[in-house]
Amino acid sequence: MRRYCWFLLFLPVILLFACSSSKPATNSYVAQGYVKRNYSKILVLARLRDEIARKKVETSLSDLLNRSGYKGATTYNLITLDDLTTRERFLAKVDTSTFDAIIVLSYMGANTSVSGQTTVSSTTPIGSTNFFDIYTSPAYDFNYDTKSQVAGYVNASFFTKESYQKQWSSILQINLSNGLDFASDFLAGTALASLKRDKIL
């Protein structure tokens, strides 16, 4: 009888630990009150100076979105890096396109060690929720040819056209050792998996 009483006493604690471990911790930011819904068209914007890399990265993610039941579209033919310098120029371009959400991929740099210290080379605070913080810092090169750079880091963000506020953000790690095609496809898969994991899509 005494063992049964002790079991009943610690049952709430056991259940608490069991429930808390069922949801893994992530490094993602999710806006308070965000509700998952269906989007008719999701734009993909990669902030890269290298036009070849930008095209490949945007195409990889937009194609994966389309294959996964979403409607994705690239922006490299619509938006130039110069269009990101002011709010007015950016709005003038995006207002001509029909969409209701946009994924922004900002390359942050690379490290030779996966476990090393990552240096964020952007002047924009990661925690910012302003949609237009994407043009307050310069775009960086996607250094996929340098063999000494093993792990790259990308700040992936999700915005809705309805509110122009950041709804989701996460730091993604990608493999840069096997060329641009592999890195782009790896980034696309990681980004979509993270968006689905955090119930954004």
Side-chain angles (χ1 to χ4, degrees), residues 114-147:
V114 174
S115 60
Q117 180 67 32
T118 305
T119 301
V120 178
S121 53
S122 169
T123 58
T124 302
I126 298 302
S128 172
T129 60
N130 188 331
F131 178 76
F132 301 102
D133 65 12
I134 61 175
Y135 58 69
T136 61
S137 60
Y140 292 90
D141 286 326
F142 196 15
N143 299 320
Y144 51 86
D145 287 331
T146 306
K147 293 185 180 301

Side-chain angles (χ1 to χ4, degrees), residues 127-174:
S128 172
T129 60
N130 188 331
F131 178 76
F132 301 102
D133 65 12
I134 61 175
Y135 58 69
T136 61
S137 60
Y140 292 90
D141 286 326
F142 196 15
N143 299 320
Y144 51 86
D145 287 331
T146 306
K147 293 185 180 301
S148 62
Q149 295 183 336
V150 177
Y153 299 88
V154 174
N155 180 21
S157 302
F158 183 86
F159 302 87
T160 59
K161 189 176 183 180
E162 180 182 19
S163 63
Y164 286 122
Q165 293 292 315
K166 184 180 294 184
Q167 302 299 315
W168 172 86
S169 181
S170 186
I171 305 300
L172 308 179
Q173 178 178 299
I174 57 175

Side-chain angles (χ1 to χ4, degrees), residues 2-130:
R2 179 174 298 177
R3 290 182 179 177
Y4 180 71
C5 291
W6 276 108
F7 174 77
L8 291 179
L9 179 63
F10 284 99
L11 181 60
V13 178
I14 296 173
L15 291 176
L16 176 62
F17 278 98
C19 293
S20 61
S21 61
S22 63
K23 184 177 181 180
T26 70
N27 63 345
S28 302
Y29 160 81
V30 179
Q32 185 176 5
Y34 175 80
V35 178
K36 176 182 174 182
R37 64 185 180 88
N38 295 325
Y39 294 96
S40 60
K41 187 176 182 180
I42 304 173
L43 298 183
V44 179
L45 171 62
R47 298 180 57 249
L48 301 168
R49 273 202 307 255
D50 186 328
E51 290 297 326
I52 295 177
R54 178 184 175 184
K55 182 176 181 179
K56 179 59 182 176
V57 168
E58 292 185 4
T59 300
S60 293
L61 182 50
S62 62
D63 286 352
L64 181 58
L65 287 169
N66 290 323
R67 294 196 306 269
S68 303
Y70 307 97
K71 176 62 176 176
T74 60
T75 60
Y76 59 83
N77 284 328
L78 173 68
I79 302 170
T80 67
L81 293 181
D82 290 338
D83 294 327
L84 301 179
T85 55
T86 68
R87 175 190 178 103
E88 290 72 21
R89 291 186 64 171
F90 180 76
L91 283 178
K93 286 296 183 73
V94 297
D95 282 347
T96 63
S97 178
T98 303
F99 74 100
D100 46 14
I102 183 169
I103 299 172
V104 179
L105 303 172
S106 301
Y107 183 60
M108 297 162 52
N111 253 331
T112 56
S113 174
V114 174
S115 60
Q117 180 67 32
T118 305
T119 301
V120 178
S121 53
S122 169
T123 58
T124 302
I126 298 302
S128 172
T129 60
N130 188 331

Side-chain angles (χ1 to χ4, degrees), residues 176-197:
L176 298 176
S177 302
N178 299 308
L180 175 59
D181 290 346
F182 180 86
S184 299
D185 291 341
F186 188 90
L187 173 59
T190 304
L192 181 57
S194 300
L195 285 161
K196 295 175 70 173
R197 174 201 65 196

